Amino acid sequence: MKNIYTPADIERITDATIGRLDDIAQLDSQRQELWMRRRAAFVAAVGEQVAAEILALRDAAKAKVLVFAGDGICGAYALATATLLHRNGCQARVVLFNIGGDMLSPDTVSARDNFIAEGGEAFLQEVVNPGPGFTMPDMNRRTIVVDGIFGSEYKKPLRGGYQAVARHINEQGARVVSIDLPSGMITDLGVGMINRNIVHASLTLTLVGPTLAFFMPENAELIGRWKTLDVPMDEEAMNSTRCTSRIIDAKAVRTVLPVRQPTASKADLGDALIFAGSYGMLGAAVLATRAATRSGCGRVTCHGPRCAFYVMQSSVPSAMFETDGGDVDIKVFDNPRQCTGVAIGPGIGRSDDTLDGLEVFLKACFAAEKPLILDADALNCMSMKPSMIDFIPARSVLTPHAGEFDRIFGAQSSHASRVLKALEMASRHKIVIVLKGHYTLTVWPDGSIVVNTSGTEALATAGSGDVLTGLMAGFVAQKMAPEVAAVAAVYVHGIAGRMAAALNGIAGTTAEDIADAIGPAIDSIVNPRSNGAPTISQQ
């Protein structure tokens, strides 16, 4: 799995790699020189890699490249990039902000001098007084803009002229490549950022790695695609960093997926129970149950109202069906066979009888310490009677989308604030929260967050969440720990969505297609050489 870093991690690793100027100034002259050489070599390495990315972006018409450089080390990266571009025949123009004439850091001064020696002063516009005499250089949609004004070193919103520069770049619609971080963006899960005052990147080239902010939907227009540059960071600092957030990948999922033995019988493969369906919402029961049968689980039972009998027996004949006698909804929730993979929610409705029955069952499972998977209407029922939240069994998995989460835990102003609230609730109630979205985040009780990148826009279809719930129940039935099953199911669900879209098109993919692709998706992960697992990029 790939690491996701906190802003503090990134600062510590960067400081270990190139030092802090204030600290370097306290050293003797010999050690100062050594550290400044180390910083210069690092700046050159970043410039070389960013320049390579820019050259790859230029089309046959050789698009114009415009570089904006700030007065700190991010400006040095930008100037080093421009130097390498000139060396490779690309005559990039540079706008260097040196407000007052004496703001440049030693790194930036050195990088500026190197650029002048390579490209000449004619290609450098050094802004000392950003008054009426300053005009922004021409750019259009075909222009490639290198944003090296501020990286993660600047931790405040842009103000004054810098804010105007960011807005102007955004309004021109140029292709923007940001070094380290889009200028003006905050790297933590801060709320209240005004996006129009932040540079909007098409591509963000991070130096250490991403933070959780990279995966927030409100930041998508700021980050664009992202890529971690292969620059020489301090190995000891990197290896000693213990990240609590990570990106799941096929290799990690492969190690936890159940492997069926040749001599196994269905009795060895687990027993899943899914409480689903009500009059008018039986499709949710069909989808969740079908997904569970595709998970590798030995036996699947759907518990629903009497009106679901013929639908379930004809739509999912490989599953069993049972009812407590309610004609149109579930009144009694029970687990007489002590199934380990128990999911509640798809299409159960919110009638008084269902609400009361769910509350009784939750309290019984809470007392018996038996975790559940709670989705859809189970979550809506809890939002109607919040006292039930206190009786969610420890290690249970909740799978809300943004609206369901806000109904249960309170309205949130952004997805970042939602993640912070999820961390708080998961810790308080000792539960697992799967925040569904383009990047689905699985939040564990210990504060760990696992980010999923296998998803696709094809999953944005009615019933997709029901498929995920059934798949998760099937995995837990096969003796996977609930927190691990949640992560694995989300990843497999994403791969199944991609496989279904490959056959049916993104717009034409239905939840039934996703459910039927679960088996091939699992095989592609378990046996990548024979089946060819889809390649999942970090972006």
Side-chain angles (χ1 to χ4, degrees):
M1 293 194 288
K2 294 183 175 67
N3 286 335
I4 298 174
Y5 299 89
T6 66
D9 291 333
I10 291 175
E11 185 172 1
R12 181 178 58 81
I13 292 168
T14 303
D15 288 348
T17 302
I18 60 174
R20 295 169 58 91
L21 286 175
D22 290 344
D23 296 335
I24 294 172
Q26 305 302 315
L27 302 175
D28 59 65
S29 59
Q30 185 176 6
R31 286 192 292 172
Q32 281 187 31
E33 184 178 355
L34 288 173
W35 272 105
M36 293 309 293
R37 285 180 181 176
R38 186 170 180 175
R39 290 175 71 93
F42 185 80
V43 168
V46 173
E48 182 178 1
Q49 292 209 23
V50 176
E53 295 288 338
I54 300 301
L55 292 171
L57 283 176
R58 297 182 81 205
D59 52 27
K62 302 299 182 185
K64 181 173 69 175
V65 178
L66 180 61
V67 178
F68 288 90
D71 52 35
I73 195 167
C74 197
Y77 300 147
L79 286 160
T81 298
T83 300
L84 267 295
L85 289 173
H86 273 264
R87 194 168 297 167
N88 284 274
C90 173
Q91 295 182 325
R93 302 194 66 83
V94 176
V95 178
L96 172 61
F97 294 102
N98 182 17
I99 309 304
D102 60 352
M103 295 297 292
L104 300 185
S105 70
D107 305 300
T108 315
V109 170
S110 177
R112 178 194 60 184
D113 294 344
N114 290 340
F115 174 72
I116 292 174
E118 181 70 42
E121 292 187 359
F123 289 95
L124 176 66
Q125 179 184 2
E126 188 166 342
V127 182
V128 176
N129 180 14
F134 170 67
T135 57
M136 287 286 291
D138 292 335
M139 65 184 87
N140 55 44
R141 292 185 180 277
R142 293 190 61 255
T143 306
I144 296 176
V145 170
V146 179
D147 165 31
I149 305 172
F150 298 115
S152 56
E153 61 185 340
Y154 193 79
K155 299 177 175 61
K156 298 177 182 179
L158 297 183
R159 299 178 182 276
Y162 289 121
Q163 186 182 104
V165 169
R167 289 187 182 182
H168 183 80
I169 292 172
N170 296 339
E171 289 166 0
Q172 304 312 304
R175 293 178 288 174
V176 179
V177 178
S178 286
I179 304 173
D180 190 18
L181 196 72
S183 293
M185 183 179 167
I186 299 172
T187 53
D188 61 13
L189 293 183
V191 295
M193 290 191 298
I194 301 174
N195 282 14
R196 68 173 180 158
N197 296 338
I198 301 168
V199 172
H200 293 190
S202 306
L203 172 65
T204 298
L205 299 174
T206 180
L207 308 184
V208 177
T211 69
L212 274 175
F214 281 48
F215 304 97
M216 299 299 106
E218 57 265 29
N219 295 336
E221 66 177 350
L222 306 179
I223 293 289
R225 293 187 303 111
W226 64 269
K227 180 178 180 179
T228 303
L229 295 178
D230 186 19
V231 288
M233 309 305 298
D234 185 85
E235 290 187 13
E236 183 178 350
M238 292 289 286
N239 294 335
S240 64
T241 302
R242 297 291 176 262
C243 295
T244 58
S245 300
R246 294 188 176 184
I247 302 171
I248 192 65
D249 56 25
K251 182 179 179 180
V253 173
R254 189 178 306 125
T255 63
V256 300
L257 284 177
V259 178
R260 182 175 298 193
Q261 299 301 319
T263 57
S265 71
K266 66 179 181 182
D268 301 318
L269 302 174
D271 199 343
L273 173 61
I274 300 175
F275 294 93
S278 60
Y279 185 79
M281 291 190 288
L282 300 180
V286 170
L287 292 168
T289 305
R290 180 180 294 181
T293 63
R294 298 291 191 183
S295 70
C297 178
R299 182 167 61 177
V300 180
T301 302
C302 176
H303 182 113
R306 291 176 63 189
C307 63
F309 178 79
Y310 291 109
V311 172
M312 293 303 301
Q313 292 288 274
S314 59
S315 299
V316 197
S318 57
M320 296 188 296
F321 178 79
E322 62 180 31
T323 181
D324 56 88
D327 288 328
V328 296
D329 53 21
I330 301 172
K331 301 178 183 297
V332 179
F333 296 78
D334 195 14
N335 183 13
R337 293 193 307 279
Q338 300 302 307
C339 301
T340 52
V342 181
I344 308 173
I348 63 173
R350 286 164 279 181
S351 71
D352 290 342
D353 287 338
T354 298
L355 199 70
D356 293 341
L358 177 60
E359 182 177 22
V360 171
F361 189 60
L362 273 180
K363 290 180 177 179
C365 292
F366 179 83
E369 299 182 342
K370 293 183 177 178
L372 304 167
I373 298 164
L374 301 167
D375 179 38
D377 279 334
L379 304 178
N380 292 326
C381 286
M382 286 191 288
S383 69
M384 295 171 65
K385 195 167 186 179
S387 61
M388 285 198 285
I389 296 172
D390 294 327
F391 295 99
I392 301 173
R395 300 181 70 200
S396 290
V397 182
L398 278 62
T399 63
H401 55 61
E404 292 166 340
F405 182 92
D406 288 5
R407 284 194 288 272
I408 299 172
F409 298 116
Q412 305 299 317
S413 59
S414 66
H415 203 64
S417 65
R418 198 167 290 119
V419 173
L420 294 173
K421 188 68 173 181
L423 284 165
E424 177 190 345
M425 293 297 101
S427 175
R428 178 185 300 177
H429 298 287
K430 302 296 184 287
I431 57 177
V432 179
I433 299 178
V434 177
L435 276 174
K436 294 187 290 193
H438 178 71
Y439 294 118
T440 294
L441 279 64
T442 301
V443 181
W444 287 357
D446 66 356
S448 299
I449 297 178
V450 183
V451 177
N452 184 70
T453 60
S454 71
T456 165
E457 55 270 43
L459 295 174
T461 185
S464 176
D466 302 322
V467 172
L468 176 61
T469 297
L471 175 59
M472 207 174 291
F475 281 169
V476 175
Q478 295 174 75
K479 301 181 180 179
M480 291 180 68
E483 54 270 32
V484 175
V487 172
V490 168
Y491 187 86
V492 171
H493 185 248
I495 298 297
R498 292 190 175 209
M499 287 186 161
L503 292 175
N504 303 285
I506 290 175
T509 296
T510 66
E512 297 96 308
D513 300 326
I514 299 167
D516 290 341
I518 287 174
I522 292 173
D523 279 349
S524 75
I525 297 167
V526 174
N527 304 301
R529 293 181 180 177
S530 59
N531 293 282
T535 299
I536 307 301
S537 69
Q538 62 184 358
Q539 287 82 15

